[in-house]
Amino acid sequence: MSERSSWVVRIVGGLLCLAVLGGLMGAALEGVIYRDAPTPLEKVQAKADLELAQPPPSGRRSAVDEAILARALVHFPPYPNASSRPEALAADYLGPDVPIAVAWFSTQDPPQKVLLHYRQVLRDAGLPVLGHEFSAYGGYVGYWSPATKEMRMVSVLYQGGETLVFVSAGEVAKALESQSAPPRWLPLPAGADKPQVITLQLEGVTQFLVAGEAPSGSMAEVEAEWRRAMAAKGWEAGPSSEAGPNALGFEVGHDGLNGQALLKQSSSEGVVEFNLSVMRRLKAAP
């Protein structure tokens, strides 16, 4: 697995929970660059990436990975033009009451071709298809199973000259029911409309993922107001960079907190969508 791919897997693995819960998926986020020296968690991740890049000669997966793959892939047939075999990504990261399993693979086919293939697979099986293409860079297709209360989904993200495909199955109803308000110390755009928030308890850190809409103003106006709100709470915000069509992103940070902010001009007039991903280390939040 290339260094670029491993980075995307880590970032999108966190964002994927938003896609499962609300159909919200970042299409071209730039990586979060931490200003401090690597933490123990980041050193562990780097070591894991190196090990993944050089799989053992046997090519055998662990029993845990096999179980994750079985849960995630059972509902979708293999993609005929995959350039890598499916690998386990994550499982049950939303808590013990929200079973979820995620696998991933890559292909040189464009995202639209992958989505079209699985859309037809679901139609041929007589299943009601849910899906959306956010841009040429990504989207999802899947279906809801009332019997098991699972959302089964294929999400795609084009990055670094290849399409990464994420296959998931998750019982998300309890996560939807238990959504809470974002922490008060987390700065959000002015007038944020019913933001969705998910808290992930990871090794050594807590990750907060927030998504919603700022219902008024242009993307430039929302960005300026958001930056003022961050400064008022003592946050630092880095320079903006393009993060896809009609989208921009920038790094944010505070004492013990680092993350990435994303703004995207919605097709709805006067509505700007936002995503905020923040990781809090062991140090207490403000």
Side-chain angles (χ1 to χ4, degrees):
M1 181 173 61
S2 67
E3 181 181 353
R4 183 72 170 178
S5 295
S6 66
W7 167 80
V8 175
V9 166
R10 290 201 306 272
I11 296 297
V12 179
L15 291 178
L16 185 61
C17 59
L18 287 180
V20 173
L21 294 176
L24 301 170
M25 183 174 184
L29 283 176
E30 292 298 323
V32 176
I33 303 175
Y34 294 104
R35 300 176 178 83
D36 303 325
T39 65
L41 172 64
E42 290 163 348
K43 291 179 181 178
V44 170
Q45 289 175 331
K47 181 180 178 181
D49 290 343
L50 182 61
E51 292 173 351
L52 284 171
Q54 299 175 344
S58 66
R60 296 182 62 183
R61 299 187 180 97
S62 69
V64 172
D65 283 354
E66 289 288 2
I68 293 173
L69 290 169
R71 292 166 57 189
L73 300 176
V74 66
H75 307 295
F76 294 96
Y79 187 67
N81 199 26
S83 54
S84 67
R85 71 175 187 172
E87 298 291 349
L89 177 58
D92 306 327
Y93 50 85
L94 295 177
D97 294 331
V98 188
I100 185 171
V102 187
W104 78 280
F105 63 87
S106 63
T107 177
Q108 296 301 309
D109 288 349
Q112 293 83 356
K113 187 173 181 179
V114 179
L115 294 177
L116 181 62
H117 170 78
Y118 281 110
R119 183 179 292 273
Q120 191 59 51
V121 166
L122 296 179
R123 285 176 175 169
D124 291 345
L127 296 168
V129 181
L130 303 172
H132 183 69
E133 292 185 34
F134 298 100
S135 70
Y137 297 95
Y140 72 94
V141 64
Y143 68 101
W144 170 257
S145 171
T148 62
K149 297 183 179 180
E150 280 186 321
M151 180 65 190
R152 300 165 181 172
M153 188 168 67
V154 173
S155 304
V156 294
L157 179 71
Y158 183 79
Q159 189 80 42
E162 63 182 344
T163 298
L164 299 178
V165 185
F166 302 88
V167 185
S168 62
E171 298 177 28
V172 299
K174 287 188 177 180
L176 288 168
E177 294 168 358
S178 62
Q179 285 192 55
S180 59
R184 291 185 177 181
W185 50 263
L186 203 60
L188 301 180
D193 186 23
K194 297 180 180 178
Q196 293 179 305
V197 59
I198 295 173
T199 303
L200 305 180
Q201 299 297 332
L202 308 176
E203 183 184 353
V205 300
T206 300
Q207 184 174 15
F208 301 91
L209 299 163
V210 188
E213 294 180 347
S216 62
S218 66
M219 189 163 63
E221 291 170 335
V222 172
E223 179 191 4
E225 292 177 357
W226 199 2
R227 287 177 177 272
R228 284 193 290 269
M230 289 180 178
K233 293 190 175 185
W235 287 66
E236 296 180 1
S240 303
S241 61
E242 185 178 353
N246 301 317
L248 60 85
F250 55 92
E251 297 170 36
V252 298
H254 192 39
D255 189 19
L257 299 155
N258 293 95
Q260 179 82 10
L262 175 71
L263 289 170
K264 186 177 188 302
Q265 188 71 58
S266 172
S267 56
S268 302
E269 185 176 353
V271 174
V272 176
E273 300 170 354
F274 72 88
N275 284 268
L276 179 63
S277 173
V278 171
M279 299 190 76
R280 182 179 67 186
R281 308 194 193 285
L282 296 178
K283 198 168 184 178

